[in-house]
Amino acid sequence: MSYYILAFAIYSFFITLLMRRNATQSPARLFVLGLVPAFFLVLCRGDVGTDTAAYLRIIDDIQNNRPTDLELGFVLLVKTMLLIGMTPQFILAAIASISTALLIYAAQLSQRSLFLCALCIVP
């Protein structure tokens, strides 16, 4: 529990710095630095949490060709990762990495998108 609180406290600290800094300085760097502890928490947490169990079940369903009502792109991504020999836990880490990279890219598009991501999407 203390890891989650610490990661959120570090994120909050960097977002507070982000809100105080001049817009001409590198605000995206502060956003990324704030995300780092939460990102590593997601990668290193293991098989805990109800969402993790649900996603592992979904990956098992895809692996065993059971019908799922999921987006075709997600199913194809998981099937591709399974085809190249990734474990279900590594697939979850890879999808978290892809999602984080897309979030960082979207946040860097404008000052408004950065604040939207930092204050509404990440928390």
Side-chain angles (χ1 to χ4, degrees):
M1 180 69 165
S2 61
Y3 297 115
Y4 293 103
I5 293 170
L6 181 62
F8 188 72
I10 292 170
Y11 178 75
S12 299
F13 171 75
F14 278 102
I15 297 308
T16 303
L17 288 177
L18 176 70
M19 301 299 276
R20 291 185 179 183
R21 288 183 61 107
N22 188 352
T24 60
Q25 296 172 350
S26 178
R29 184 175 299 154
L30 287 174
F31 177 67
V32 171
L33 286 173
L35 274 180
V36 167
F39 175 70
F40 282 116
L41 186 64
V42 168
L43 291 184
C44 300
R45 68 182 166 172
D47 292 340
V48 297
T50 56
D51 290 344
T52 304
Y55 283 122
L56 289 173
R57 192 172 335 106
I58 289 169
I59 291 171
D60 183 60
D61 289 346
I62 293 170
Q63 189 174 19
N64 294 316
N65 293 319
R66 293 186 201 116
T68 59
D69 294 330
L70 300 171
E71 293 90 4
L72 180 61
F74 179 77
V75 172
L76 292 175
L77 177 65
V78 171
K79 282 187 180 224
T80 302
M81 290 177 172
L82 287 167
L83 185 66
I84 61 174
M86 295 174 120
T87 65
Q89 290 79 7
F90 194 74
I91 290 172
L92 290 181
I95 290 173
S97 300
I98 291 168
S99 300
T100 303
L102 290 172
L103 176 71
I104 290 170
Y105 171 75
Q108 292 181 2
L109 294 176
S110 71
Q111 190 76 19
R112 177 179 278 171
S113 64
L114 177 68
F115 287 126
L116 179 69
C117 288
L119 299 174
C120 297
I121 295 175
V122 172

